[in-house]
């Protein structure tokens, strides 16, 4: 079965610093989703990447998909306390369209003011 | 639109009790799924459905039942609750084709 490994598992950065979270798949990626979760709350959709080499940005968050490496990276520029939370990557387990995703274990981000 | 609605938000059960977590979506999505979230383990898929009348098992289906009698509803039943089922449960839905998976706000379950 496919597994997604996120690194690092946790991260503490000073406000204003840049950071990167990686999500590596054990099998071919057929799309990659990034979500953010504040502690005790639901999941907020950040972005979806569908094609190798695709890159998307929303405000100060940029995500890229490297099909060959079976990996996606999420980069935050000039971090702010509002960026703190748990970041989760998810991917469809195979090329079939069943609407289900498997997820990585999550990366917990703390931003120190 | 309300999106994906889960009830209850909090529940405490005793070992051996049964209960149903309700999930409803008003977006006419074909795909629905249930996940559980435990510390350090991300989200794990319990059961999913690709349409009314069709369900299938995910990664961790033991101890849970589902049914999909309508497009809108996808309840998750705990047959005989165990402490290992203490978790936060999320219901999600998605339309056919590629697109965002919409999540409910979660249901926090504690089994004593």
């Amino acid at each position: 079965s496919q597994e997604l490994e996120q690194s690092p598992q946790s991260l503490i950065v000073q406000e204003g610093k840049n950071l990167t979270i990686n999500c590596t798949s054990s099998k071919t990626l057929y799309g990659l989703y990034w979500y953010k979760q504040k502690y005790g709350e639901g999941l907020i959709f950040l972005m979806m990447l569908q094609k190798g080499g695709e890159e998307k940005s929303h405000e100060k968050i940029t995500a890229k998909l490297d099909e060959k490496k079976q990996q996606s990276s999420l980069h935050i520029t000039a971090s702010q306390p509002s960026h703190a939370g748990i970041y989760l990557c998810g991917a469809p387990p195979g090329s079939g369209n069943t609407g289900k995703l498997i997820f990585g274990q999550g990366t917990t981000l703390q931003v120190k003011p | 639109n309300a999106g994906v609605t889960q009830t209850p938000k909090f529940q405490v059960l005793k070992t051996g009790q049964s209960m149903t977590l309700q999930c409803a979506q008003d977006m006419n999505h074909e795909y629905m799924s249930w996940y559980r979230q435990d510390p350090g383990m991300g989200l794990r898929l319990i059961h999913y459905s690709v349409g009314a009348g069709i369900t299938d098992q995910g990664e961790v289906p033991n101890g849970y039942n589902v049914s999909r009698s309508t497009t809108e509803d996808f309840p998750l039943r705990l047959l005989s609750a165990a402490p290992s089922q203490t978790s936060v449960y999320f219901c999600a839905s998605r339309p056919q084709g590629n697109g965002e998976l919409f999540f409910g706000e979660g249901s926090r379950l504690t089994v004593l």
Side-chain angles (χ1 to χ4, degrees):
Chain A
S1 60
Q2 185 174 11
E3 292 184 354
L4 296 178
E5 182 74 25
Q6 287 185 235
S7 62
Q9 290 191 15
S10 64
L11 197 52
I12 302 173
V13 300
Q14 203 67 38
E15 183 177 358
K17 294 295 186 185
N18 302 338
L19 63 107
T20 299
I21 298 169
N22 291 308
C23 175
T24 304
S25 174
S26 60
K27 295 187 177 181
T28 301
L29 282 169
Y30 295 97
L32 198 290
Y33 297 70
W34 284 100
Y35 285 84
K36 178 189 172 187
Q37 183 182 30
K38 290 226 180 250
Y39 180 73
E41 298 182 12
L43 283 85
I44 302 166
F45 174 73
L46 294 176
M47 53 193 89
M48 175 181 70
L49 305 166
Q50 290 185 268
K51 299 175 184 177
E54 187 172 11
E55 179 175 324
K56 287 187 176 178
S57 294
H58 176 67
E59 297 179 343
K60 294 185 178 181
I61 301 176
T62 300
K64 300 178 187 178
L65 179 60
D66 187 330
E67 233 173 30
K68 289 181 181 177
K69 290 185 179 178
Q70 296 178 175
Q71 184 179 75
S72 177
S73 60
L74 185 85
H75 184 77
I76 298 177
T77 304
S79 58
Q80 300 168 354
S82 61
H83 288 126
I86 301 171
Y87 289 81
L88 291 150
C89 65
S95 57
N97 192 359
T98 59
K100 61 179 180 177
L101 298 180
I102 58 162
F103 286 88
Q105 78 277 31
T107 295
T108 302
L109 172 64
Q110 293 181 48
V111 180
K112 289 190 171 183
Chain B
N1 288 346
V4 180
T5 303
Q6 289 182 233
T7 56
K9 286 188 169 46
F10 300 94
Q11 182 73 48
V12 179
L13 290 177
K14 293 181 179 178
T15 296
Q17 286 184 316
S18 62
M19 77 156 299
T20 299
L21 296 175
Q22 301 290 346
C23 176
Q25 51 92 7
D26 60 359
M27 299 173 281
N28 202 33
H29 287 171
E30 290 294 323
Y31 300 141
M32 295 188 75
S33 47
W34 275 103
Y35 294 85
R36 60 177 287 173
Q37 185 177 33
D38 302 293
M41 300 187 76
L43 292 168
R44 290 183 292 169
L45 181 66
I46 305 171
H47 285 284
Y48 67 101
S49 169
V50 298
I54 306 169
T55 64
D56 206 346
Q57 296 181 349
E59 304 166 74
V60 288
N62 292 342
Y64 308 95
N65 271 356
V66 291
S67 59
R68 184 95 180 271
S69 55
T70 66
T71 299
E72 294 78 19
D73 300 300
F74 191 44
L76 178 73
R77 297 181 186 86
L78 280 71
L79 308 172
S80 177
S84 60
Q85 294 178 305
T86 293
S87 188
V88 181
Y89 292 85
F90 288 97
C91 179
S93 74
R94 211 189 88 178
Q96 278 190 340
N98 289 321
E100 174 188 349
L101 193 62
F102 291 81
F103 283 90
E105 293 186 355
S107 298
R108 186 175 293 273
L109 175 67
T110 301
V111 183
L112 303 174

